[in-house]
Amino acid sequence: MFRTHTCGELRSSHCGNTVTLSGWVQRVRDKGTLIWIDLRDRYGITQLFLEEGKTEPVLIDLARSLGREFVISATGMVTERESKNPNIPTGEIELRVTAMKLLNASKLPPFTIEDKSDGGDELRMKYRYLDLRRNPLKHNLELRHRLALETRKYLDDQKFYEIETPYLIKSTPEGARDFVVPSRMNPGEFYALPQSPQTFKQILMVAGYDRYFQIVRCFRDEDLRADRQPEFTQIDCEMAFVEQEDVLNTFEGLARFLFKQVKGIEVGSFGRMDYATAMKRYGSDKPDIRFGMEFVEINEQAKGKGFGVFDEAELVVGINAQGCSEFTRKQLDALTDFVKKPQIGAKGLVYVRYNTDGSLKSSVDKFYNEHQLKEIAECFGAQPGDLMLILSGNTDLVRKQLCELRLELGNQLGMRDPQVFKPLWVTDFPLLEWNEDAGRYFAMHHPFTSPKIEDVHLLDSDPGKVRANAYDMVINGVEVGGGSIRIHDRGLQKRMFSLLGFSDEEAQNQFGFLLTAFEYGAPPHGGIALGFDRLTALIAGYDSIRDFIAFPKNNSGRDTMIDSPSEIAQHQLDELFLKVTAQKTGQ
Amino acid sequence: MFRTHTCGELRSSHCGNTVTLSGWVQRVRDKGTLIWIDLRDRYGITQLFLEEGKTEPVLIDLARSLGREFVISATGMVTERESKNPNIPTGEIELRVTAMKLLNASKLPPFTIEDKSDGGDELRMKYRYLDLRRNPLKHNLELRHRLALETRKYLDDQKFYEIETPYLIKSTPEGARDFVVPSRMNPGEFYALPQSPQTFKQILMVAGYDRYFQIVRCFRDEDLRADRQPEFTQIDCEMAFVEQEDVLNTFEGLARFLFKQVKGIEVGSFGRMDYATAMKRYGSDKPDIRFGMEFVEINEQAKGKGFGVFDEAELVVGINAQGCSEFTRKQLDALTDFVKKPQIGAKGLVYVRYNTDGSLKSSVDKFYNEHQLKEIAECFGAQPGDLMLILSGNTDLVRKQLCELRLELGNQLGMRDPQVFKPLWVTDFPLLEWNEDAGRYFAMHHPFTSPKIEDVHLLDSDPGKVRANAYDMVINGVEVGGGSIRIHDRGLQKRMFSLLGFSDEEAQNQFGFLLTAFEYGAPPHGGIALGFDRLTALIAGYDSIRDFIAFPKNNSGRDTMIDSPSEIAQHQLDELFLKVTAQKTGQ
């Protein structure tokens, strides 16, 4: 038996008991005749105590030979400490060691196993098992476990069944790039790993399962941007006989339940905002509404005053930074530089200071007199002490730029507290997006999303105007997930495929099973998928998902710990009837 | 809104309420002026009622136009039925329809959606969404959902964290064949899909997570025998600072909890049997102990009496079928044919009848007199009325043959009730198996299994004798799962790899990360993996797993519903730097 208790559970009520603990040596303090060892396991840290003259010499020697991260088990009597440590739950006691055994030695770790490690990203990834020993990662994975379990309990209460869908499915051209899996038993043919279980969950609705969910891995072979992973996890859900409102209420309920269960926070009712409003007020379909600073459009007030930049712009739009009129020149230059970064791409930034003395001063005083600036300030509802920041240009572009500026200011002004949560449903997304390069429409959500009934008549005449029964759950400017009411009518689904440029044959070849299923009594249905990695990071108050995944891959899709992907044996290729036509270039 | 209630919840207490239901038309009974519709959803069936003269004519017409599996929604008043149906929970009421809407039509399904369908396997697989509508499959998937959730609750209570491990990992030569996934970003390199998360869960123990589990998909590219799937699900678990006994107790606890929660059955304490005993008494490492009929070895009594077959055999062994002395000649011939089937391969079957009058009669009376037969009967503990069945030959082979005969007899005698559950731990498996073809040892469990300390000294001198700290959970003759205490010492692990024929370089290349991890404080650890598909089928009392998987593949690894695997586009192959060297032969 390796232990009677964990390193996190002994209290002064255990004093006098003889117990055995096992764990890792966090540190050894050797003060001459007295030796203390901090012994760590998942549950906490307990102090071991040895004393020359009282403890057996062989144990003293063993204690002195221990290094960081050695694994030991120790038996002794629980004793009240002389100097208590109120910072840890076991701080009232220590173990007077009467037996101790080395279970495994450890080389000196390449970085410190502390809350703030001195290890760089690369080293931490290679020795992930050491990085995972650090408290922050332990808390992240515990949170993830807890969230998954509570999600399952909530959805089970709501009569959802968790049903596993296959991972070896079929490659489809719409959407991102698939990972494919050659089939040895079917030479020349491939499975694909699912980008989501979309069609299977719809099939389950056709099959009458009524409420489905799955916490499921999904795969996308994309060029990895920072903080994207080739495999990721989603909470995937579908419901039959529902309208949009039913889905929103159910999953607003889930999110509120999770915040309550796991963080003890009441996030309250979710806001609702349609896509058009979100774009107009925040320049984003995932607005961060922890703070205001809404967009104000001032075409009327800004144009025709001789300032060519504004006159030529499709849209002049700005935000009011309350109480920021005393931003220094340097601060304003920095903001200008920010919006002029190539990733953002604005040409410049116009500001209007509403000084505390009531006077107005702008970077375009040449074109606007005080009265005109006052008019602009009124549009913004600005008060003395405020600072207006204005951009102009093509509508879509300038909104994106101003969105970035707004978020940056929100950061600078401390208005984006990661421990404050403001959730929102964004609804009424466009059904289709025009792609100039491809010369055709693409589904904004996916090809199975239902148009709004009242917009169906526009499908032929003005497809770009058709709104979808689609919705995103947005929290703190993060798209936590999205979904839609699906098409359940075979005719409409075929029309949709045709709009997306599928020939009848292609539609049949790729999605024939779904079209056929729709002939056998498909119920109205809809659903949602929430990004579980992202949701977990968000709830913990973090931006990056990487430390919420036990074994993430780097930006080249590599797992540097196991050194994967890697070459495979020739006989494996032969069995699969495959030939590799290019070798990896040297690293 | 599509419904106020489900089709399973209305009772006589709802009478007088106006409600709306949605679902599928199970059947329409048109008795002239009166029409009844059975409306079905996941939750049950509710009877709708329409009456000419009272119900609006347009609804009567609609009702008459409905076919099987049409999807409708209907509103009406809940009314007490004239003739109640005590067989269904909603049998006291019906809905007097005041509004009804067709939501989707249905073609006539290619087979009946009834508990016993008239559809063949192939048709049912192709139209899986229709097959899944049948009650037996619905119950199976509900059971699966319930088992998964209860498993998670139990393990969470036991302080296990569910931690997701990657699906895109690294191909390793030991074990079954891997499915591989070409990496576009790393030309010429491949990921592999995991056959199990074995090394990752061990890494999590090194990382200090103490108790890990995951209900996880695993993949094996094997030639599919009946009832094997290329992807399958396991309850995968690992614990640190444990000995074998800790693991057995924890997972015996899980199994008992599941039977209790889901079936309301107390299965009691698990039996324990070591591998050698299981092989000797039952000829199997997964004995079905719902019935006795244990093997009796009779070399001493059988040999040297002039019967050459026995004299030349390594082992003469039999079973006693109690109360079967009056088996007919035909029955005995059938049993003889059974053991002579090529899959079993016995040369013949010797019987000894212990007649109810106390006389003994055998198929080898030429060689054994009544006294000698009596001696044999005594070995078996046989009584008048019993029938002894005896095989002989090479020990391993004859045990396998007799095992099959015993199970067959158990079936014939109704001793294998699928609703009776007799669980057992089989322990002390051999560490290694000699493979004649390969001319080397293979790991019986896997290369990470720890030998028993007391047998380590045999590793060099007599490796085949070394027993492992390995165990299987066996219920009703089914191997539900297995596990082991793992090696946590780098030196021993390297020695093991070397015994298994790995060069140092190969070991480093494949498992270097694990060997390195063992240098940084690896704790003693062990675990288990339970086959979740199999466990679910077993608990339901079924042999086959196929109807416990929502979307199984057929014996060629194909999903005939979605028609996968399939060819992929040339540009996909090009992007992956792959060339296919053989095409599928025509079907």
Side-chain angles (χ1 to χ4, degrees), chain B residues 183-198:
Chain B
S183 166
R184 184 181 51 85
M185 291 172 79
N186 303 277
E189 297 193 328
F190 293 75
Y191 303 99
L193 299 178
Q195 296 182 31
S196 94
Q198 182 63 31

Side-chain angles (χ1 to χ4, degrees), chain A residues 132-150:
Chain A
L132 285 169
R133 282 186 193 164
R134 298 190 307 113
N135 273 322
L137 275 90
K138 222 166 56 183
H139 294 151
N140 293 352
L141 293 189
E142 180 182 5
L143 174 69
R144 188 179 177 113
H145 161 66
R146 186 66 42 214
L147 280 173
L149 189 65
E150 295 297 338

Side-chain angles (χ1 to χ4, degrees), chain B residues 16 24 56 62 110 151 155 175 197 309 354 386 391 397 448 450 479 512 527 555 573 575:
Chain B
W24 286 262
E56 270 189 67
L62 175 55
T151 297
L155 292 174
V309 173
Y354 203 152
D386 291 353
L391 295 174
L397 212 57
F448 314 106
S450 171
E479 181 199 326
N555 283 349
L573 290 169
E575 279 189 329

Side-chain angles (χ1 to χ4, degrees), chain A residues 142-195:
Chain A
E142 180 182 5
L143 174 69
R144 188 179 177 113
H145 161 66
R146 186 66 42 214
L147 280 173
L149 189 65
E150 295 297 338
T151 296
R152 289 184 158 107
K153 286 183 186 169
Y154 175 87
L155 291 174
D156 177 62
D157 275 348
Q158 300 288 320
K159 302 203 187 310
F160 285 76
Y161 289 163
E162 185 161 25
I163 300 176
E164 294 173 62
T165 53
Y167 280 120
L168 296 173
I169 66 164
K170 183 172 173 149
S171 189
T172 58
E174 193 74 354
R177 210 182 273 109
D178 286 321
F179 281 105
V180 297
V181 183
S183 166
R184 182 182 52 86
M185 290 172 81
N186 303 275
E189 298 193 325
F190 293 75
Y191 303 99
L193 300 178
Q195 297 183 30

